[in-house]
Amino acid sequence: MLITFGWILPLFLLLTTIIPLVIGIYLLVKGIWAYKEGDRNRFTKLLFLGLVLIFVVPTLLAMLIGFLMLMAFQG
């Protein structure tokens, strides 16, 4: 069994989905600000990274933690 406490993994799942969302939104805002200033290269990098943090990272982390929960509480 990986973790014996039943509340740690759901809390970890919640935090690993909220933190990338907040950082992703921050990077999107910074990217829009860079576009306003005229720096299109920085805009593209920040926008792409922000969108990856918003859509891809929480999904992958949720699947990984769900798999770990399945393995930890199976049996």
Side-chain angles (χ1 to χ4, degrees), residues 13-42:
L13 177 63
L14 181 68
L15 290 177
T16 55
T17 55
I18 289 176
I19 291 172
L21 285 174
V22 171
I23 295 172
I25 291 171
Y26 171 75
L27 290 175
L28 284 178
V29 170
K30 292 290 281 186
I32 292 170
W33 192 263
Y35 184 73
K36 181 184 173 195
E37 292 177 347
D39 191 0
R40 290 182 61 99
N41 191 23
R42 188 167 179 241

Side-chain angles (χ1 to χ4, degrees), residues 2-74:
L2 292 175
I3 296 176
T4 57
F5 301 108
W7 56 272
I8 291 178
L9 282 176
L11 178 68
F12 188 67
L13 177 63
L14 181 68
L15 290 177
T16 55
T17 55
I18 289 176
I19 291 172
L21 285 174
V22 171
I23 295 172
I25 291 171
Y26 171 75
L27 290 175
L28 284 178
V29 170
K30 292 290 281 186
I32 292 170
W33 192 263
Y35 184 73
K36 181 184 173 195
E37 292 177 347
D39 191 0
R40 290 182 61 99
N41 191 23
R42 188 167 179 241
F43 162 74
T44 306
K45 288 179 184 176
L46 289 173
L47 195 71
F48 178 75
L49 185 57
L51 289 174
V52 166
L53 283 174
I54 288 174
F55 293 110
V56 176
V57 172
T59 305
L60 292 177
L61 286 175
M63 289 189 318
L64 175 68
I65 292 172
F67 176 73
L68 290 176
M69 287 177 66
L70 181 68
M71 296 306 289
F73 296 118
Q74 185 181 20

